[in-house]
Amino acid sequence: MAALRRKFGEDYQVVNTNRATTFAAPVKKKRQRFVDKNGRCNVQHGNLGGESSRYLSDLFTTLVDLKWRWNLLIFTLTYTIAWLFMASMWWTIAYIRGDIHHGHGHDPSYTPCVANVYNFPSAFLFFIETEATIGYGYRYITEKCPEGIILFLFQSLMGSIVDAFLIGCMFIKMSQPKKRAETLMFSQDAVISQRDGKLCLMFRVGNLRNSHMVSAQIRCKLIKSRQTPEGEFLPLDQCELDVGFGTGADQLFLVSPLTICHEINPKSPFFDLSQRSLMNEQFEIVVILEGIVETTGMTCQARTSYTEDEVLWGHRFLPVMSLEEGFFRVDYSQFHSTFEVPTPPYSVKEHEEKNALPSPLSTPTHTLNESHGARRDRVFSVDCINTSEDRRGGAGGRLPSKLQRMSSSGKDDLQRKVLRLSSQHSEKACSTGDLPLKLQRLSSSQGPEMANQLELKALKVGFEPMTQSTGDLYEPSLTPTLAPAPVPVYSPLLSAGRRPEDNLPAKLRRMNADR
């Protein structure tokens, strides 16, 4: 026990599941099983009516399926009745021919059908000597009795048929592989615990003989009553439990005890089974192990079942294999023992639903991303540069018509140039090359003073400059707001504190005044 605790930890406790041991838990009312622990099916067929004659059509199988006491009785009665019947036939021939009356005479000229048959006991002994081929030589058939020869041939044929039938039944009865199933063991309880991170239903099988089971295969059936959505009640409905059919895990190499595993997944009928609901369920798991007996070549089938009170939640089987000097040793004294392991009490369905719920920490991030996306969608047009001009009453309308055409033609180029300005916090000046050609010639004629007046300012939103591409025109804060007053942009046509025509050269101002 100390070695086991060192191997599995102090938290594990060995639980003896031997039914001879009394437990403190309340004993549940024993209910009727569909299949006993020894594999016998608790099903009886009644009210067959005229269908009973079907058993006689398969008489050989019927005799083999009978119990041993009935087989021995039929075997004894068949031979006894056959012997008596054939002995009476020989006595009848002797009586008809008059051998009974001339049997004790000493007439050497009289030839009987069967020599030395004077009564029924002598006829019975003659039949036994002939059937068993003993041949004492005292009683024998003569050539003067053709009916005796015909009866002798009939006796030989019928004796061979009866021997083949009855001896064959006894041989098949004795060589049935049902007794081979007695050396195939199943654990008394099934367990539910985690294996490889998945909740599994497990039980153990073992082979007590050194001779192997060839092509051993295991299957599981869930027996449970249910009601269909249409209202039909299905008593003892059978459902297949997957124990590795798709992966080949159901094909066993049964040379040592193996633990059979059924993974509980959405395709499993135990998908919504939890530790609490297990106490209220009513079902039965039927386990079928099939294989070919290596010594006889006959197919053997072993069965057992587990009810809901024989399924232990949160347990695992105790290891029984140990390495000795030159071989592996199996300790069958611990074959049925289990120990407790930490296992979630909820079902796989509840576990998946819990994992499918969104985390509360992901909501603010989602909202923040949406706000950033909304800010990315906001495109600030350069047309806002002209808002101050529009509010001042459209001062550009007072320019000459020629300058108005020049200003409108260069508006698009001016907007594109403003969007390409740098995003640095310091203001960036724009060269006069971005202006129309007419204004470039005018500014070059006025000297460096006018070049300074043609300096452009970057458009700002809040405290951040917006001088890069339109995709970058958003504020890092959660609530982007524009400044209460637009930032003035200096150009030859616009001004923040005075009329636009005041920034023009003197020649243009005189032309405007003349107009």
Side-chain angles (χ1 to χ4, degrees):
M1 184 64 67
L4 292 175
R5 289 188 179 276
R6 285 194 302 270
K7 184 176 181 180
F8 299 102
E10 295 293 336
D11 295 336
Y12 299 123
Q13 180 180 0
V14 177
V15 178
N16 186 10
T17 57
N18 189 0
R19 288 291 177 248
T21 307
T22 59
F23 294 91
V27 179
K28 295 181 63 175
K29 183 179 179 180
K30 184 178 180 180
R31 66 179 182 88
Q32 183 64 44
R33 306 175 69 104
F34 187 69
V35 178
D36 288 337
K37 297 295 287 185
N38 58 2
R40 185 178 64 88
C41 298
N42 293 321
V43 178
Q44 293 184 0
H45 304 282
N47 297 328
L48 296 177
E51 303 297 332
S52 301
S53 59
R54 294 177 179 267
Y55 290 102
L56 297 178
S57 62
D58 189 13
L59 184 59
F60 185 82
T61 306
T62 302
L63 294 177
V64 173
D65 289 340
L66 291 176
K67 295 183 179 181
W68 270 107
R69 54 179 176 267
W70 298 109
N71 275 104
L72 294 176
L73 179 62
I74 292 175
F75 185 85
T76 304
L77 290 178
T78 302
Y79 273 106
T80 303
I81 293 174
W83 293 343
L84 293 176
F85 174 77
M86 296 305 299
S88 62
M89 294 295 294
W90 286 110
W91 179 84
T92 302
I93 292 176
Y95 180 80
I96 294 174
R97 287 178 58 88
D99 296 341
I100 302 299
H101 302 286
H102 297 84
H104 295 283
H106 299 283
D107 187 0
S109 61
Y110 180 77
T111 304
C113 181
V114 179
N116 300 319
V117 173
Y118 312 114
N119 50 24
F120 184 80
S122 60
F124 184 80
L125 290 175
F126 171 74
F127 168 77
I128 295 297
E129 293 176 9
T130 305
E131 182 67 22
T133 64
I134 298 175
Y136 293 110
Y138 182 71
R139 297 179 179 88
Y140 55 91
I141 189 172
T142 62
E143 69 279 3
K144 299 294 183 178
C145 183
E147 62 271 18
I149 297 174
I150 296 175
L151 182 60
F152 176 77
L153 296 176
F154 178 77
Q155 172 186 329
S156 300
L157 292 177
M158 291 301 298
S160 300
I161 293 175
V162 172
D163 289 341
F165 190 82
L166 293 181
I167 295 176
C169 287
M170 297 299 293
F171 176 77
I172 296 297
K173 185 70 173 178
M174 290 185 294
S175 61
Q176 270 188 323
K178 290 183 178 180
K179 295 302 178 181
R180 178 63 177 89
E182 299 293 335
T183 55
L184 297 175
M185 292 183 61
F186 296 91
S187 58
Q188 292 182 351
D189 297 288
V191 298
I192 293 180
S193 61
Q194 286 186 332
R195 171 179 283 190
D196 297 330
K198 301 176 182 178
L199 197 65
C200 300
L201 170 71
M202 294 174 285
F203 57 91
R204 179 181 280 172
V205 296
N207 183 14
L208 298 180
R209 290 188 179 273
N210 292 328
S211 59
H212 300 168
M213 292 290 295
V214 182
S215 301
Q217 184 179 12
I218 195 163
R219 295 183 294 117
C220 290
K221 293 284 187 179
L222 176 64
I223 310 297
K224 183 179 180 181
S225 301
R226 68 181 184 91
Q227 188 172 7
T228 62
E230 296 78 13
E232 181 184 4
F233 180 73
L234 301 177
L236 302 178
D237 183 48
Q238 298 185 14
C239 178
E240 188 76 18
L241 293 181
D242 186 12
V243 289
F245 178 76
T247 60
D250 58 335
Q251 304 291 332
L252 306 181
F253 182 53
L254 197 59
V255 296
S256 63
L258 298 177
T259 301
I260 309 302
C261 178
H262 164 67
E263 179 184 345
I264 301 178
N265 50 29
K267 297 182 180 180
S268 172
F270 298 129
F271 181 56
D272 55 352
L273 181 67
S274 63
Q275 185 177 9
R276 176 174 297 180
S277 62
L278 179 61
M279 304 172 61
N280 301 323
E281 288 285 344
Q282 285 191 358
F283 60 84
E284 186 172 350
I285 303 172
V286 179
V287 181
I288 305 171
L289 175 62
E290 294 179 338
I292 300 174
V293 182
E294 187 179 30
T295 54
T296 62
M298 302 182 69
T299 303
C300 174
Q301 185 181 93
R303 296 181 297 267
T304 190
S305 67
Y306 300 98
T307 56
E308 67 279 354
D309 57 338
E310 294 173 344
V311 178
L312 306 179
W313 188 282
H315 284 246
R316 188 180 299 166
F317 287 106
L318 198 67
V320 294
M321 292 286 294
S322 61
L323 178 60
E324 302 292 339
E325 295 182 359
F327 62 94
F328 292 92
R329 181 181 179 83
V330 180
D331 184 12
Y332 279 99
S333 63
Q334 304 293 335
F335 184 81
H336 304 286
S337 300
T338 63
F339 61 92
E340 297 180 356
V341 292
T343 304
Y346 45 81
S347 63
V348 178
K349 180 180 180 181
E350 296 173 348
H351 178 69
E352 292 186 356
E353 291 177 352
K354 182 179 179 181
N355 293 338
L357 293 177
S359 176
L361 298 177
S362 62
T363 304
T365 306
H366 181 67
T367 307
L368 184 60
N369 293 336
E370 289 183 353
S371 63
H372 282 298
R375 287 195 298 274
R376 290 191 185 97
D377 293 339
R378 295 179 58 190
V379 178
F380 297 92
S381 175
V382 193
D383 295 338
C384 63
I385 300 176
N386 299 327
T387 55
S388 60
E389 181 184 356
D390 295 339
R391 285 196 299 268
R392 283 175 172 79
R398 283 177 278 178
L399 294 175
S401 59
K402 185 176 182 180
L403 290 181
Q404 290 180 9
R405 289 193 300 271
M406 295 171 59
S407 176
S408 61
S409 63
K411 182 177 179 181
D412 296 337
D413 294 336
L414 180 62
Q415 293 176 356
R416 288 193 296 269
K417 295 300 181 180
V418 171
L419 290 176
R420 293 194 193 101
L421 295 177
S422 173
S423 61
Q424 298 178 358
H425 292 287
S426 61
E427 297 178 351
K428 206 173 197 181
C430 180
S431 65
T432 58
D434 298 334
L435 297 176
L437 297 177
K438 182 70 175 178
L439 293 182
Q440 291 181 24
R441 288 193 296 269
L442 290 175
S443 62
S444 61
S445 64
Q446 294 297 326
E449 300 87 3
M450 183 57 64
N452 295 330
Q453 294 178 1
L454 296 176
E455 183 180 17
L456 298 177
K457 302 293 184 178
L459 179 62
K460 296 182 180 181
V461 180
F463 298 99
E464 295 290 334
M466 296 177 55
T467 56
Q468 292 189 6
S469 63
T470 57
D472 299 329
L473 296 178
Y474 64 90
E475 172 118 51
S477 61
L478 293 178
T479 56
T481 56
L482 294 173
V487 178
V489 178
Y490 298 94
S491 68
L493 302 178
L494 300 176
S495 178
R498 47 186 176 175
R499 294 179 300 172
E501 57 268 19
D502 294 340
N503 296 327
L504 298 176
K507 186 177 179 179
L508 293 179
R509 287 199 301 270
R510 285 194 301 272
M511 292 173 60
N512 191 21
D514 295 339
R515 186 178 63 87

